[in-house]
Amino acid sequence: MSLVKTPLIGLKADSFRHTLDLEATKTLKQIPGLDMMVRNLLGPMAEQVFYVENIASSILVGEKQLPHLHKLLLEACQILDVDPPQLYVRQHPAPNAYTFAMRGKQPFVVIHTSLIDILTPEEIQAVIAHELGHLKCDHSVYLTPVNLLILAAAIVPNVGTILAQAIQSQLLEWVRCAEFTCDRAALLATQDPKVVMSVLMKLAGGSPTLAPQLNLEAFVAQAHAYDDISKTELGEMVKSARTAQLTHPVPVLRAREIDRWASSTEYQNLLQNQGLKSGSATLSNGGWRNW
């Protein structure tokens, strides 16, 4: 039996945005010309590159193509109050998903087949909802350079390396903070912290063979052990150096953050208040049901 979920009609991005995301965004906005560079210079090029890549090398999900994934997308969009983007499935050995939206064009989400292979349907929806969080929070301006780096590195490795070395540290810091916000979007859509943390656990060490054998409680304990490293100056220094060039926070840190937020009054009040706004409607088994 599927979990009965509360649709969050009228949900505002700032109601779940992580404080680190807010602070990092303020820092980015102080970089002169960054917004203009992305929208007017990188944007048009990125649109064409990503469009060609998706049409040529990915599968567009719809009612007649992988309808079970299409259903997960629509349900997550209804819960988060987001217009449905296009969803593509791409053959790729590295478990990953990403989002692109620029200049008023049709936004889209891409999920790699290797990620789908290790996840349950509920976990796939958590991934989709995480990507919807980027759209809900209008992260596209600053995500574009990062996604260009990922794509460039895959197509022309040397170019990707050069670009990665040139990207500003503030941008990487912002991206890591934005991921915390979008993990919250995943939780709001699935309304089950274990589902979101399980995705992170499988990203850390999952495979089609190992994924069913992983122990979530042990992974959560591992996440709390990661905190203990910061108790010494050397440990904190090593952690900072380890994450400085990453585009995502490490999985154990993301799991710890979602575990904390799921237990917070902020999260509980958000579900309760939005549920009242939506007339106490619930969503179950893919359809609306009003009590």
Side-chain angles (χ1 to χ4, degrees):
M1 182 176 180
S2 61
L3 176 69
V4 177
K5 302 172 186 176
T6 302
L8 308 177
I9 305 302
L11 178 69
K12 302 298 183 183
D14 284 347
S15 65
F16 65 91
R17 198 185 298 265
H18 197 285
T19 54
L20 292 178
D21 182 4
L22 288 171
E23 294 169 3
T25 300
K26 290 178 182 178
T27 300
L28 270 190
K29 288 182 177 179
Q30 295 174 4
I31 300 176
L34 180 60
D35 183 278
M36 183 177 296
M37 176 189 72
V38 173
R39 291 191 185 278
N40 297 329
L41 298 178
L42 290 177
M45 177 182 70
E47 286 172 2
Q48 290 300 312
V49 171
F50 275 107
Y51 178 75
V52 170
E53 279 296 305
N54 281 332
I55 292 297
S57 307
S58 305
I59 297 295
L60 176 60
V61 173
E63 292 181 358
K64 297 181 180 180
Q65 184 70 274
L66 302 175
H68 65 292
L69 296 180
H70 185 61
K71 182 178 179 180
L72 293 176
L73 168 68
L74 294 183
E75 181 181 291
C77 288
Q78 288 174 326
I79 294 172
L80 295 176
D81 200 16
V82 177
D83 292 331
Q86 291 182 336
L87 175 62
Y88 289 89
V89 172
R90 184 178 178 87
Q91 177 70 39
H92 201 286
N96 193 25
Y98 57 88
T99 306
F100 185 85
M102 280 296 300
R103 298 169 63 85
K105 301 292 185 180
Q106 170 70 52
F108 61 81
V109 172
V110 179
I111 305 180
H112 289 174
T113 51
S114 55
L115 182 56
I116 292 173
D117 285 344
I118 62 175
L119 301 180
T120 65
E122 292 80 8
E123 292 164 353
I124 293 172
Q125 187 173 66
V127 170
I128 292 172
H130 173 100
E131 299 305 326
L132 293 176
H134 286 306
L135 298 177
K136 185 79 175 180
C137 296
D138 195 25
H139 285 156
S140 59
V141 170
Y142 305 122
L143 276 177
T144 298
V146 176
N147 285 333
L148 283 174
L149 289 176
I150 295 171
L151 184 60
I155 299 175
V156 188
N158 290 337
V159 173
T161 300
I162 293 171
L163 288 172
Q165 291 174 346
I167 195 170
Q168 298 191 49
S169 60
Q170 295 100 319
L171 186 56
L172 287 174
E173 174 67 20
W174 172 82
V175 173
R176 291 193 295 271
C177 295
E179 293 302 312
F180 288 135
T181 293
C182 294
D183 285 343
R184 290 181 173 187
L187 175 58
L188 289 171
T190 61
Q191 298 176 19
D192 186 347
K194 291 183 178 180
V195 170
V196 181
M197 290 189 290
S198 182
V199 172
L200 297 169
M201 175 179 64
K202 292 178 180 180
L203 283 172
S207 71
T209 302
L210 294 178
Q213 304 176 45
L214 295 176
N215 184 306
L216 183 57
E217 290 185 5
F219 182 70
V220 172
Q222 179 181 333
H224 291 292
Y226 182 77
D227 278 346
D228 294 338
I229 300 174
S230 298
K231 293 181 179 179
T232 67
E233 184 175 344
L234 176 60
E236 182 60 31
M237 182 177 66
V238 171
K239 282 174 61 175
S240 297
R242 167 72 177 80
T243 59
Q245 294 302 313
L246 297 178
T247 58
H248 289 63
V250 293
V252 289
L253 180 57
R254 293 170 64 182
R256 185 210 66 185
E257 282 293 308
I258 210 65
D259 188 32
R260 287 180 176 176
W261 198 61
S263 302
S264 69
T265 54
E266 178 186 358
Y267 169 69
Q268 299 297 333
N269 289 339
L270 182 58
L271 283 185
Q272 182 178 2
N273 293 337
Q274 292 295 149
L276 290 174
K277 288 180 181 179
S278 64
S280 298
T282 58
L283 187 64
S284 178
N285 299 320
W288 292 102
R289 182 172 71 200
N290 289 300
W291 293 103

